[in-house]
């Protein structure tokens, strides 16, 4: 019987140069601190020798265009490429030093997809979508020089309204838990992004974050109180800059009712950086 | 407001290096066929990403177009 052996969530722009430019030396220091917390989480993850790592993250209009914006999408196939962006700016630039291809856990991805469709989740699939910083910055920070296990990338539409609901993401996480339990594999799962930043997705509000909202969320996570999280509305998430918490909701559904330990939380104005790990063992 | 026209143009500016160069050299000509309102066209010609965002342009696009990104 398979098992989720690790669950963690973390911010996903992990680039000291980016935060130094955006926020000054305090930005560099705080992102280095959260990266150190993530590296320590990665040591615990690697010690559990996962057969696969599910990565739940969002697209920043990199992998998908206005041709189609899937609510929930499972990447299938045997390998995945990182996004290549000529003359990259901002958070796209951090990808440039990373490997070009990564192995996928084809069998687990197929089971999540096929069993999902059979049980009422109208999931999208992709054979070709590349990965941006939302996936690869956390993965490369977690593993450092260690080998990266086969990945199962899953996208949640966090930014292009209308998004899936928090409860739907949670329910999809329950589905993932059932698939893993019925499989022969030990699986890690991470969710990336957040916490509060870019309220209302307005340039005018870049530089603001909602620390009160973040602390409320973290309190619920630490106490395993997941029903209030499922009730978060699209409007609440939009106004508080918690769009990417939808990724976290998938993970929470996969491990509920486990409690979380906050490994790092740092207010930075532009964003509140966070790293959280759940007690799944 | 033509939200799709604004965002498809932003997406093209991000992903299409040749189009980005044309826009840089002669923005009025590059936008000639775009289905934009007067306000949207004026914002693009002024390279005013904050205004484009207010008019419906997705934040992550206006933050990440090479050479045009607002920070």
């Amino acid at each position: 019987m398979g098992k989720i052996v690790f669950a963690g969530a973390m911010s996903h722009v992990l680039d000291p140069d980016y935060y130094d430019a955006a926020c000054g030396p305090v930005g560099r220091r705080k992102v280095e601190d959260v990266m150190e917390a993530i590296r320590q989480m990665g040591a615990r993850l690697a010690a559990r020798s996962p057969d696969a790592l599910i990565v739940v993250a969002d697209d920043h209009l990199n992998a998908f265009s206005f041709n189609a914006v899937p609510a929930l999408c499972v990447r299938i196939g045997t390998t995945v490429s990182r996004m290549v962006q000529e003359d990259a700016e901002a958070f796209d630039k951090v990808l440039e030093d990373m490997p070009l291809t990564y192995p996928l856990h084809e069998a687990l991805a197929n089971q999540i997809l096929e069993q999902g469709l059979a049980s009422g989740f109208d999931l999208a699939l992709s054979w070709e979508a590349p990965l941006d910083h939302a996936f690869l910055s956390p993965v490369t920070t977690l593993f450092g020089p260690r080998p990266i296990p086969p990945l199962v990338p899953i996208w949640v539409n966090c930014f292009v309204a209308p998004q899936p609901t928090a409860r739907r993401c949670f329910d999809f996480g329950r589905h993932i838990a059932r698939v893993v339990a019925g499989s022969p594999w030990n699986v890690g799962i991470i969710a990336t992004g957040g916490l509060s930043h870019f309220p209302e997705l307005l340039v005018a509000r870049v530089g603001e974050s909602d620390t009160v909202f973040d602390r409320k969320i973290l309190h619920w996570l630490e106490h395993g109180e997941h029903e209030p999280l499922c009730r978060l509305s699209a409007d609440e998430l939009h106004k508080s800059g918690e769009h990417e918490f939808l990724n976290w909701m998938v993970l929470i559904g996969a491990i509920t009712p486990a409690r979380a330990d906050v490994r790092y939380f740092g207010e930075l104005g532009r964003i509140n950086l966070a790293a959280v790990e759940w007690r799944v063992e | 407001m033509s939200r799709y026209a604004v965002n498809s143009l932003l997406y093209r500016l991000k992903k299409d290096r040749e189009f980005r160069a044309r826009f840089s050299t002669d923005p009025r000509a590059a936008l000639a066929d775009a289905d934009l309102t007067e306000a949207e066209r004026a914002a693009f010609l002024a390279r005013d990403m904050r205004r484009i965002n207010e008019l419906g342009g997705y934040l992550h696009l206006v933050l990440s177009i090479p050479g045009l990104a607002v920070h």
Side-chain angles (χ1 to χ4, degrees), chain A residues 61 66, chain B residues 2-13 36 44 52 55-59 61-62:
Chain A
L61 293 163
F66 297 101
Chain B
S2 44
R3 191 169 174 225
Y4 168 70
V6 167
N7 281 296
S8 62
L9 187 54
L10 288 171
Y11 187 84
R12 195 172 172 201
L13 282 168
L36 300 172
F44 273 100
I52 292 169
L55 291 169
Y58 280 111
L59 180 65
L61 292 176
V62 305

Side-chain angles (χ1 to χ4, degrees), chain A residues 17 46 64 77 101 109 126 142 211 234:
Chain A
D17 290 342
F64 305 111
T101 60
S126 172
L142 282 165
T211 301

Side-chain angles (χ1 to χ4, degrees), chain A residues 258-272:
Chain A
R259 294 177 176 224
D261 293 307
V262 178
R263 303 300 189 196
Y264 182 86
F265 180 73
E267 299 173 44
L268 199 49
R270 188 179 178 95
I271 186 170
N272 289 335

Side-chain angles (χ1 to χ4, degrees), chain B residues 46-67:
Chain B
R47 295 174 168 79
D48 186 345
M49 288 297 173
R50 179 179 289 243
R51 179 69 181 138
I52 292 169
N53 172 242
E54 290 168 356
L55 291 169
Y58 280 111
L59 180 65
H60 289 86
L61 292 176
V62 305
L63 289 178
S64 62
I65 296 172

Side-chain angles (χ1 to χ4, degrees), chain A residues 15 18 33 41 68 77 94 100 103 132 147 159 175 190 194 210 217 260 274:
Chain A
D15 180 358
Y18 173 81
D33 288 346
M41 289 165 63
V94 71
L100 273 170
D132 73 3
F159 289 120
H175 162 68
I190 64 169
D210 190 335
I217 283 176

Side-chain angles (χ1 to χ4, degrees), chain A residues 18 58 60-66 83-92 159-161 197-198 201-206 244 270, chain B residues 3-4 7-11 13-17 20 49-50 53-54 57-71:
Chain A
Y18 173 81
D58 49 290
H60 300 80
L61 293 163
N62 286 322
F64 305 111
S65 69
F66 297 101
M83 184 185 79
V84 175
Q85 167 75 38
E86 293 173 330
D87 313 315
E89 284 266 5
F91 20 73
D92 295 337
F159 289 120
V160 182
H197 64 297
F198 301 171
L201 300 177
L202 286 172
V203 170
R205 298 197 64 190
V206 169
E244 290 173 331
R270 188 179 178 95
Chain B
R3 191 169 174 225
Y4 168 70
N7 281 296
S8 62
L9 187 54
L10 288 171
Y11 187 84
L13 282 168
K14 174 164 179 168
K15 295 289 188 179
D16 185 341
R17 192 181 204 177
R20 202 161 57 239
M49 288 297 173
R50 179 179 289 243
N53 172 242
E54 290 168 356
Y58 280 111
L59 180 65
H60 289 86
L61 292 176
V62 305
L63 289 178
S64 62
I65 296 172
L68 292 171
V70 64
H71 294 287

Side-chain angles (χ1 to χ4, degrees), chain A residues 2-16:
Chain A
K3 189 176 179 193
I4 291 177
V5 296
F6 177 90
M10 65 285 294
S11 305
H12 63 210
V13 175
L14 302 173
D15 180 358

Side-chain angles (χ1 to χ4, degrees), chain A residues 145-184:
Chain A
R146 291 183 293 265
I148 294 170
L151 304 176
V152 179
I154 293 173
W155 284 268
V156 177
N157 171 24
C158 292
F159 289 120
V160 182
Q163 298 93 329
T165 63
R167 188 176 297 281
R168 185 60 170 166
C169 292
F170 180 90
D171 289 344
F172 178 50
R174 301 294 303 138
H175 162 68
I176 290 173
R178 288 189 290 271
V179 171
V180 171
S183 82

